[in-house]
Amino acid sequence: QVQLVESGGGSVQTGGSLRLSCTAFGYTVNTNCMTWFRQAPGKEREAVAGLYSIGGSTDYADSVKGRFTISQDSAKNTVYLQMNSLKPEDTALYYCAARECLTWYTNWNDRRIYRYWGQGTQVTVSS
C-alpha cells in the first residue's frame, strides 16, 4: 500500500524559508515522478515543482522559479521542497503527488495524471 506523508509546513513572515518533506512508503521516489502541488482557499490546485530523479528532469511553475527547489534523498525515500523568499501568495495547503513513470511528462503539471497523493501540509506566509 502506497502512502505519501508530508511534513514541514508552518507559519513564516514574508521573505522567510521553509523546507517541506514528502516521505513515501511502499513506493520508490527516485525512479518515479514526484510533484508538489498547492491549493489556496477558493483556488484550483496548481503544480509547483516536479521531479523525475532518475531521468534528471525537474520543472517549476513560473511563479516559484528561482525561489523553490525540489530534490530527493534516495536513502530516506523522501522528496523535498525548499522554499525561499516566501510571499503571502505562497500561502496554501501543499500536497505531494506521485505516479509511476518511465519518462518525464510535458503535462507534469496536470493533477489528473497523478495516482498517489499525500494529505497535505499547511504553509502560511504573513506580510
Side-chain angles (χ1 to χ4, degrees):
Q1 183 176 358
V2 175
Q3 187 177 12
L4 303 177
V5 180
E6 302 103 330
S7 62
S11 297
V12 297
Q13 292 188 327
T14 298
S17 297
L18 284 173
R19 189 178 78 160
L20 306 184
S21 300
C22 171
T23 300
F25 300 90
Y27 196 81
T28 304
V29 301
N30 71 329
T31 58
N32 291 289
C33 294
M34 307 293 298
T35 295
W36 285 96
F37 284 78
R38 67 185 181 187
Q39 188 166 19
K43 295 188 177 181
E44 290 192 359
R45 192 170 299 189
E46 62 173 352
V48 174
L51 171 69
Y52 178 44
S53 182
I54 200 169
S57 299
T58 57
D59 264 306
Y60 295 92
D62 288 343
S63 59
V64 306
K65 281 180 181 177
R67 301 189 298 123
F68 291 11
T69 303
I70 189 170
S71 63
Q72 63 91 23
D73 183 332
S74 299
K76 296 182 178 180
N77 209 30
T78 297
V79 174
Y80 301 100
L81 184 67
Q82 178 66 44
M83 305 186 295
N84 299 327
S85 302
L86 283 163
K87 306 174 182 180
E89 51 263 45
D90 294 318
T91 295
L93 190 60
Y94 283 71
Y95 297 91
C96 177
R99 65 159 291 150
E100 293 85 359
C101 62
L102 297 177
T103 185
W104 190 233
Y105 293 91
T106 55
N107 62 334
W108 68 277
N109 54 352
D110 185 345
R111 63 180 181 175
R112 295 172 296 179
I113 71 171
Y114 292 91
R115 180 177 181 184
Y116 305 108
W117 291 84
Q119 81 290 346
T121 186
Q122 179 67 38
V123 172
T124 302
V125 185
S126 58
S127 57

